[in-house]
Amino acid sequence: MNTIISYIDENKDRYVDELSDFLRMESISSSPQHKDETFTCAKWVETHLRNIGIDHVEFIETKGHPIIYAEWMGAPGKPTVLLYGHYDVQPVDPIDLWTNGPFEPTIRNGDLYARGSTDDKGQVFTHFKSIEAYMKHHGSLPVNLKMIIEGEEEIGSENLQTFVRENKEKLKADIVLISDTAMYAKGVPTICYGLRGLSYFQIDVTGPNRDLHSGSFGGAVQNPAQGLAGMLASLKDKNGKIKIPGFYDDVRKLTKKERDAFAKLPFNEKKYAKTLGVKELFGEKGYSTLERVWARPTFEINGMWSGFTGEGAKTVLPSQAHAKISMRLVPDQDPKKIAVLFKKHIRNISPKNITVTLHEMHGARPALAPIDSLGVSAATEALKKGFGKKPLYQREGGSIPIVVTFQQVLGATPVLLGFGLPTDNPHSPDEHFNLDNFHNGIKTSAYFFDTLADMSK
Ligand code: BES
Ligand code: ZN
């Protein structure tokens, strides 16, 4: 093990340079203009896996972006780990708020800045580099390894769902290892055991057949922006409760044990509010902030646009108004059922004088992972060595749509071993990845494979 760790230490700077190459590719999965660049990025992953010593690499084209599948099965009798990660990234808007270009990786104060640095290229790369250390140094890994690196996580992983269902036997694994979450705080290694689900919609509202002079016509017709705003406002009451009938029916109640565990974590509401730049926190009454973001469902407006938004004033009554909304879901809510309830409710509250159209976008099922598994035990030991401290176990508010499919279709137990930080700005301008976490993450990954092999003797 020592020689593996020395190899990782010696190659530290080269690893950062290679990660920077990975980050230069604009693999924005939701953007049709970036389709070629996303393909190039997938090809880069394929080549990189071969370069680090994995011979069996498959480049799988889908209806959307390619999936990279790889395997190394040279440890008979040892567990099989399925490493999952994604090479696609979120859009970069608002671009003006980036200190450097989102695809010009730059190091400042020990952090590497670029879109995808923490979510998820940097995190997935920790494993590529520990695998490299084993393959270049020993020519073998301590466990069997399968890998799925996909390009559609940020848009719901639909094509991967199909791939997994159609390749059940091939993908069979004991453990699915994912580094796509954050640690509780810097210096606090963390294993995540819960993710929220998601249901996402675009709402399009049409009123008059063209933009109108707001003086000549204002007062005569319903304003679509007002109609949309009214509907959206009615979806949440002043206590933060969501007003869609049936929405909470399947929400699993938090146990006293879990509430107590959340309450024990150091959490300063004032400091948290301050770092977010808000006057005070707001959320569902009766729940703490950690409960609200990890274990309660939400309704959020992600974006709204209508009428004149340019500089200066233009007196206009818009013809159209639009919003993108998402609902984060918790066990045992089903995104399909929630989508049906949402559509029904919107139909019921739509004013008759405007036309409301709903476009269902992606969804994700909420996930819970056991923490008394072999994989989590190995990850716990690995974090102790890689970060020098015992980890804590927490849930997360974000979603990774494929996790439940891995559990249900492959029977694999998830290990959510995140190396990000809550302050990394994923999905925001100036996303970054802490280079200490990158380096310790690579070591942790190496210790994980070693410990897992040891534990299954
Ligand atoms: N890495 C995130 C998931 C995540 C976010 C974990 C925050 C922990 C904390 C992932 O890449 C992501 O952002 N997923 C999307 C999925 C969605 C588009 C279906 C998300 O959660 O918005
Ligand atoms: Zn991610």
Side-chain angles (χ1 to χ4, degrees), residues 303-330:
M304 282 173 84
W305 67 106
S306 175
F308 180 68
T309 56
E311 214 177 309
K314 179 186 180 195
T315 45
V316 67
L317 196 164
S319 157
Q320 293 194 346
H322 313 268
K324 296 201 191 258
I325 69 94
S326 65
M327 292 165 278
R328 290 282 166 181
L329 311 176
V330 299

Coordinates of all heavy atoms in Angstrom, one line a residue, residues 303-330:
G303 N -36.6 29.3 -12.7 CA -36.4 30.4 -13.6 C -37.8 30.9 -14.0 O -38.7 30.1 -14.1
M304 N -37.9 32.2 -14.4 CA -39.2 32.7 -14.9 C -38.8 33.8 -15.9 O -37.9 34.6 -15.7 CB -39.9 33.4 -13.7 CG -40.6 32.5 -12.8 SD -41.3 33.5 -11.4 CE -42.8 34.1 -12.2
W305 N -39.6 33.9 -17.0 CA -39.3 34.9 -17.9 C -40.6 35.3 -18.6 O -41.5 34.5 -18.9 CB -38.2 34.6 -18.9 CG -38.4 33.5 -19.8 CD1 -38.7 33.6 -21.2 CD2 -38.4 32.1 -19.6 NE1 -38.8 32.4 -21.8 CE2 -38.6 31.5 -20.8 CE3 -38.2 31.3 -18.4 CZ2 -38.6 30.1 -20.9 CZ3 -38.2 30.0 -18.5 CH2 -38.4 29.3 -19.8
S306 N -40.7 36.6 -19.0 CA -41.9 37.1 -19.6 C -41.7 38.6 -20.0 O -41.0 39.3 -19.3 CB -43.1 37.0 -18.7 OG -44.3 37.5 -19.3
G307 N -42.3 39.0 -21.1 CA -42.3 40.4 -21.4 C -41.0 41.1 -21.6 O -40.0 40.4 -22.0
F308 N -40.9 42.3 -21.2 CA -39.7 43.1 -21.4 C -38.8 43.0 -20.2 O -39.2 43.4 -19.1 CB -40.1 44.6 -21.7 CG -39.0 45.5 -21.9 CD1 -38.2 45.3 -23.1 CD2 -38.6 46.4 -21.0 CE1 -37.1 46.1 -23.3 CE2 -37.5 47.2 -21.2 CZ -36.7 47.1 -22.4
T309 N -37.6 42.6 -20.5 CA -36.6 42.5 -19.4 C -35.3 43.2 -19.7 O -34.3 43.1 -19.0 CB -36.2 41.0 -19.1 OG1 -35.8 40.4 -20.3 CG2 -37.4 40.2 -18.6
G310 N -35.3 44.0 -20.7 CA -34.1 44.8 -21.1 C -34.0 46.0 -20.2 O -34.7 46.2 -19.3
E311 N -32.9 46.8 -20.6 CA -32.7 48.0 -19.8 C -33.8 49.0 -20.1 O -34.4 49.0 -21.2 CB -31.3 48.6 -20.3 CG -30.6 49.2 -19.2 CD -29.2 49.7 -19.6 OE1 -28.5 48.9 -20.2 OE2 -28.9 50.9 -19.4
G312 N -34.0 49.9 -19.2 CA -35.0 51.0 -19.4 C -36.4 50.4 -19.2 O -36.6 49.3 -18.7
A313 N -37.4 51.2 -19.6 CA -38.8 50.8 -19.5 C -39.5 50.7 -20.8 O -39.2 51.4 -21.7 CB -39.5 51.8 -18.6
K314 N -40.3 49.7 -20.9 CA -41.1 49.5 -22.2 C -42.5 49.2 -21.7 O -42.7 48.2 -20.9 CB -40.5 48.4 -23.0 CG -41.3 48.1 -24.3 CD -40.8 46.9 -25.0 CE -41.5 46.6 -26.3 NZ -41.2 45.2 -26.8
T315 N -43.5 49.9 -22.1 CA -44.9 49.7 -21.6 C -45.5 48.6 -22.5 O -45.9 48.9 -23.6 CB -45.7 51.0 -21.6 OG1 -45.4 51.7 -22.9 CG2 -45.3 51.9 -20.5
V316 N -45.5 47.4 -21.9 CA -46.0 46.3 -22.7 C -46.7 45.3 -21.9 O -46.4 45.1 -20.7 CB -44.8 45.7 -23.5 CG1 -43.9 45.0 -22.5 CG2 -45.2 44.7 -24.5
L317 N -47.8 44.7 -22.5 CA -48.5 43.7 -21.8 C -48.1 42.4 -22.6 O -48.4 42.2 -23.7 CB -50.0 44.0 -21.9 CG -51.0 43.2 -21.1 CD1 -52.3 43.9 -21.1 CD2 -51.2 41.8 -21.4
P318 N -47.3 41.5 -21.9 CA -46.7 40.4 -22.7 C -47.8 39.4 -23.2 O -48.8 39.2 -22.6 CB -45.8 39.7 -21.7 CG -46.2 40.2 -20.3 CD -46.9 41.5 -20.5
S319 N -47.4 38.7 -24.3 CA -48.3 37.7 -24.8 C -48.0 36.4 -24.1 O -48.9 35.6 -24.0 CB -48.0 37.6 -26.3 OG -48.3 36.3 -26.8
Q320 N -46.8 36.2 -23.6 CA -46.4 34.9 -23.0 C -45.7 35.0 -21.7 O -45.0 36.1 -21.4 CB -45.5 34.2 -24.0 CG -46.3 33.8 -25.2 CD -45.5 32.8 -26.1 OE1 -44.3 32.5 -25.8 NE2 -46.2 32.2 -27.0
A321 N -45.8 34.0 -20.9 CA -44.9 33.9 -19.7 C -44.5 32.5 -19.5 O -45.3 31.6 -19.8 CB -45.8 34.4 -18.5
H322 N -43.3 32.3 -18.9 CA -42.8 30.9 -18.7 C -42.1 30.8 -17.4 O -41.6 31.7 -16.8 CB -41.7 30.7 -19.8 CG -42.2 31.1 -21.2 ND1 -42.8 30.2 -22.0 CD2 -42.1 32.2 -21.8 CE1 -43.1 30.8 -23.2 NE2 -42.7 32.1 -23.1
A323 N -42.1 29.5 -16.9 CA -41.4 29.2 -15.7 C -40.8 27.8 -15.8 O -41.4 27.0 -16.4 CB -42.3 29.4 -14.5
K324 N -39.7 27.6 -15.1 CA -39.2 26.3 -14.9 C -39.3 26.0 -13.4 O -38.8 26.8 -12.6 CB -37.7 26.2 -15.4 CG -37.6 26.4 -16.9 CD -36.4 25.9 -17.5 CE -36.1 26.4 -18.9 NZ -36.5 25.4 -19.9
I325 N -39.9 24.9 -13.1 CA -40.0 24.6 -11.7 C -39.5 23.2 -11.4 O -39.5 22.3 -12.2 CB -41.5 24.7 -11.2 CG1 -42.4 23.6 -11.8 CG2 -42.1 26.1 -11.5 CD1 -42.6 22.4 -11.0
S326 N -39.1 23.0 -10.1 CA -38.8 21.6 -9.7 C -39.3 21.3 -8.3 O -39.5 22.2 -7.5 CB -37.3 21.5 -9.7 OG -36.7 22.3 -8.7
M327 N -39.6 20.1 -8.1 CA -40.0 19.6 -6.8 C -39.0 18.5 -6.4 O -38.7 17.6 -7.1 CB -41.4 18.9 -6.9 CG -42.5 20.0 -7.2 SD -44.0 19.3 -7.7 CE -43.8 19.0 -9.5
R328 N -38.3 18.8 -5.3 CA -37.4 17.8 -4.7 C -38.2 16.8 -3.9 O -39.1 17.3 -3.1 CB -36.3 18.4 -3.8 CG -35.3 19.3 -4.6 CD -34.3 18.4 -5.3 NE -33.5 19.3 -6.2 CZ -32.5 18.9 -7.0 NH1 -32.1 17.6 -6.9 NH2 -31.9 19.7 -7.8
L329 N -37.9 15.5 -4.0 CA -38.8 14.5 -3.4 C -38.0 13.7 -2.4 O -36.8 13.6 -2.5 CB -39.4 13.6 -4.5 CG -40.0 14.4 -5.7 CD1 -40.5 13.4 -6.7 CD2 -41.2 15.2 -5.2
V330 N -38.7 13.1 -1.4 CA -38.0 12.3 -0.4 C -38.7 10.9 -0.4 O -39.8 10.8 -0.9 CB -38.1 12.9 1.0 CG1 -37.4 14.3 1.0 CG2 -39.5 13.1 1.4

